[in-house]
Amino acid sequence: MELISIGVIHSPYKRKGEAPHQGRVMNEEAILEIYPEFQEGIQNIEEKKHIIVLYWCHLGRRDVIKTATPWGPEIKGVFATRSPNRPNPIAFCVADLVKVEGNKLYVKGVDALDGSPILDIKPYVYELDSIEGPEDTL
Amino acid sequence: MELISIGVIHSPYKRKGEAPHQGRVMNEEAILEIYPEFQEGIQNIEEKKHIIVLYWCHLGRRDVIKTATPWGPEIKGVFATRSPNRPNPIAFCVADLVKVEGNKLYVKGVDALDGSPILDIKPYVYELDSIEGPEDTL
């Protein structure tokens, strides 16, 4: 299972530790640059208000199986956390799609480090992806 | 960027075409079997009601850049659809976590074909992952 990079993220977060724990609450804009060979794939994306972005945490450690979190002292199984350090360091964000210009998607809500490879973009679908009721917290 | 399989999905959908277009609305149960070397990673997951499951669409075609959808005649860019056929065929589901027994997670809402490799599991977090308002539809 070999991944290919469909593009690259340009973000204000240049170094490990600069990215917020979660981008969702931030107002910073990032640019998702889609490589020319995949540009046809973003046709119609401008119809969407929110998108799912899967990207590769290229500085993530892959040997982490238990970890602390920013939210408390407890050591948890890594799959019960949102740590970027995990066996397959695929990050998931729901982003606001601000505008599309050619092969560039301008988004808010992405907490990626600058230079992160983009793996996939999907439309966010309310009926499928939103669970009603704030019962799931960090 | 080479992925490793952290487990395998056991589902009632044995053949391409049998899986529903979206598992979210189905009542079928699937089992996420986590391989022993990653079992420590699911510690604390039982505290969560909903989880994000990333899995590999092992029968997906990777050369698709535009595609039709089950919802209409229009041909769209693949990144504006939820098609399992895409350059990196990583599927994303929000699943109800029914129970955990040892290295097995019993879930509802997963539309994977039987035998799909599991890539990652993350806790679903309402504040981050839910967009309020049903403005995003299929």
Side-chain angles (χ1 to χ4, degrees), chain B residues 113-126:
Chain B
L113 285 175
D114 189 52
S116 300
I118 305 170
L119 303 176
D120 200 11
I121 291 170
K122 301 178 194 289
Y124 179 88
V125 180
Y126 181 78

Side-chain angles (χ1 to χ4, degrees), chain A residues 70-95:
Chain A
W71 322 111
E74 197 182 355
I75 303 293
K76 297 187 173 192
V78 74
F79 302 122
T81 80
R82 298 287 282 252
S83 171
N85 303 307
R86 48 207 309 125
N88 292 305
I90 303 171
F92 157 84
C93 272
V94 180

Side-chain angles (χ1 to χ4, degrees), chain B residues 9 32 51-55 91-95 110 118 120-121:
Chain B
I9 300 180
L32 311 184
I51 56 175
I52 290 171
V53 182
L54 300 181
Y55 65 90
F92 157 83
C93 273
V94 180
V110 170
I118 305 170
D120 200 11
I121 291 170

Side-chain angles (χ1 to χ4, degrees), chain A residues 1-6 22 24 38 40-45 47-50 52 54 56 62 65-66 74-82 86-88 90 92 94 117 119-131 133-138, chain B residues 1-6 22 24 38 40-45 47-50 52 54 56 62 65-66 74-82 86-88 90 92 94 117 119-131 133-138:
Chain A
M1 298 182 290
E2 176 69 27
L3 294 168
I4 50 181
S5 179
I6 65 158
Q22 293 297 340
R24 182 90 211 116
F38 297 105
E40 271 200 305
I42 58 168
Q43 203 171 302
N44 306 96
I45 197 81
E47 299 161 11
K48 307 295 175 183
K49 285 195 191 313
H50 300 103
I52 290 169
L54 300 181
W56 189 249
R62 303 188 64 173
I65 196 75
K66 299 185 75 173
E74 197 182 355
I75 303 293
K76 297 187 173 192
V78 74
F79 302 122
T81 80
R82 298 287 282 252
R86 48 207 309 125
N88 292 305
I90 303 171
F92 157 84
V94 180
L119 303 177
D120 200 11
I121 291 169
K122 303 178 194 287
Y124 179 87
V125 180
Y126 181 78
E127 310 95 284
L128 302 176
D129 305 326
S130 181
I131 303 289
E135 57 194 359
D136 300 293
T137 55
L138 273 171
Chain B
M1 298 183 289
E2 176 69 28
L3 294 168
I4 49 180
S5 179
I6 65 158
Q22 293 296 339
R24 182 90 211 114
F38 298 105
E40 270 201 306
I42 58 169
Q43 203 171 303
N44 306 97
I45 197 81
E47 300 161 11
K48 306 295 174 183
K49 285 193 191 314
H50 299 103
I52 290 171
L54 300 181
W56 189 249
R62 303 187 65 174
I65 197 76
K66 298 185 75 174
E74 198 182 354
I75 302 294
K76 297 186 172 191
V78 74
F79 302 123
T81 80
R82 297 288 282 252
R86 48 208 308 125
N88 291 306
I90 303 171
F92 157 83
V94 180
L119 303 176
D120 200 11
I121 291 170
K122 301 178 194 289
Y124 179 88
V125 180
Y126 181 78
E127 310 95 284
L128 303 175
D129 304 326
S130 181
I131 302 289
E135 56 194 358
D136 299 293
T137 55
L138 273 170

